[in-house]
Amino acid sequence: LELDLSGNSVGEIGAGVICAAMASNTSLTKVQLSNNPLRGAGADHVADMLRKNTSIATLGMGSCGLTDKCTQSLSDALCSNVHLTELDV
């Protein structure tokens, strides 16, 4: 199952709500969040979700305004997530 929210103006607050729902979801295998203004807090929400989710194999986050700190948070989350096989930042 795929969720494509690319280019939908999902910001930091929206990312928090979406990621809270995705944290325990076991049906989604591909999520596209590209071209949204996620920035720092949004990326942190995604990182928290990746620490809990075990079904998402592909995640797109290109053009989301990520900083070095954001990518560090995502990198840390990936250390505990062995299910994600493709990440586009």
Side-chain angles (χ1 to χ4, degrees):
L1 191 60
E2 181 178 333
L3 176 64
D4 187 350
L5 295 172
S6 56
N8 279 291
S9 299
V10 176
E12 296 173 346
I13 294 171
V17 173
I18 292 165
C19 289
M22 287 192 301
S24 61
N25 183 293
T26 58
S27 299
L28 288 173
T29 58
K30 184 175 183 179
V31 176
Q32 186 59 257
L33 295 171
S34 296
N35 299 307
N36 284 298
L38 298 179
R39 297 186 186 86
D44 288 341
H45 292 307
V46 173
D48 290 340
M49 178 272 298
L50 287 175
R51 288 182 183 92
K52 300 170 189 166
N53 184 283
T54 59
S55 65
I56 296 175
T58 303
L59 177 61
M61 294 180 62
S63 299
C64 288
L66 304 181
T67 64
D68 289 343
K69 183 181 177 199
C70 298
T71 54
Q72 182 62 51
S73 178
L74 288 170
S75 175
D76 293 344
L78 292 175
C79 290
S80 62
N81 184 316
V82 297
H83 305 283
L84 190 72
T85 58
E86 184 178 338
L87 175 63
D88 174 25
V89 290

